[in-house]
Amino acid sequence: MNAVDDKTIVREYFNAIGFDRWRRIYGDGEVNKVQLDIRQGHQQTVDTLIDWLKSDANLAGLSICDAGCGVGSLSIPLAQAGAKVYASDISEKMVGEAKERVKTILGNGDNPTFAVQDLETLSGRYDTVVCLDVLIHYPQEKAALMIAHLASLAESRLILSFAPKTLAYSLLKKIGDFFPGPSKATRAYLHREADIIKILQNNGFTIKRQGMTSTRFYFSRMLEATRK
């Protein structure tokens, strides 16, 4: 399966069965224990990121690109904090759901701004570019190209999260591969932290902060990189 096929599968998945599954996970309705665990883990990652940005005391007014915004779990609180948010996702249904949530929470307005786009076609310049839990859909060779592109959009900071490739997590993934189901329709790629850091350094960034969220079924390493 090549990268183009991966992207097509991801788009179709999140416009079909994946949309219904992840809308529930990222919502506040009743879910099963596994979905609840993933919801709580993802929220921890979002909360950590917002705490990082707020601690710099300049969040209001920052231009932020939320690349792979999903249903707006990060975009909405960033807009509430005063940032100017440009959000995109490969899934038209995800973007539609995000817009509806913005109307419910923030009312009618033009912040965040949403678009249906894949990461490779993003353009513009932003103070900060954020890409949470998207690298899991990219094999290593394509991840490097994608990170380089995101880096070119960031004036001062790029924040990424990814599933780290360690012995324990690789074993857990291998075990999970034996239990396919209708809601598990995309490949999951793990990445070595050292490889991600090297890619960031090669694009002129240095690591400022690091975080790790690990629950029973959700694990995500987050790196904040700033221009040297």
Side-chain angles (χ1 to χ4, degrees), residues 129-142:
V129 175
V130 180
C131 188
L132 293 187
D133 295 348
V134 175
L135 279 173
I136 196 168
H137 302 300
Y138 284 78
Q140 183 63 34
E141 64 276 11
K142 294 298 180 181

Side-chain angles (χ1 to χ4, degrees), residues 78-132:
L78 287 178
Q80 287 176 309
K84 183 64 177 176
V85 183
Y86 302 84
S88 65
D89 198 274
I90 195 172
S91 166
E92 183 177 1
K93 281 197 171 184
M94 286 289 191
V95 169
E97 176 70 14
K99 289 180 177 179
E100 291 301 315
R101 293 189 182 194
V102 167
K103 288 180 182 179
T104 300
I105 298 171
L106 301 178
N108 293 320
D110 60 357
N111 187 39
T113 299
F114 289 100
V116 180
Q117 278 184 286
D118 58 47
L119 300 184
E120 292 87 347
T121 63
L122 291 176
S123 61
R125 297 285 287 178
Y126 310 92
D127 296 318
T128 297
V129 175
V130 180
C131 188
L132 293 187

Side-chain angles (χ1 to χ4, degrees), residues 47-78:
D47 290 344
T48 297
L49 173 53
I50 293 174
D51 286 344
W52 284 358
L53 298 180
K54 286 184 175 180
S55 70
D56 293 335
N58 66 344
L59 181 53
L62 281 184
S63 62
I64 299 178
C65 175
D66 183 7
C69 65
V71 297
S73 303
L74 175 64
S75 295
I76 293 172
L78 287 178

Side-chain angles (χ1 to χ4, degrees), residues 12-23:
E12 292 177 350
Y13 172 70
F14 283 105
N15 275 324
I17 188 171
F19 168 70
D20 294 326
R21 180 191 184 211
W22 291 97
R23 178 179 58 176

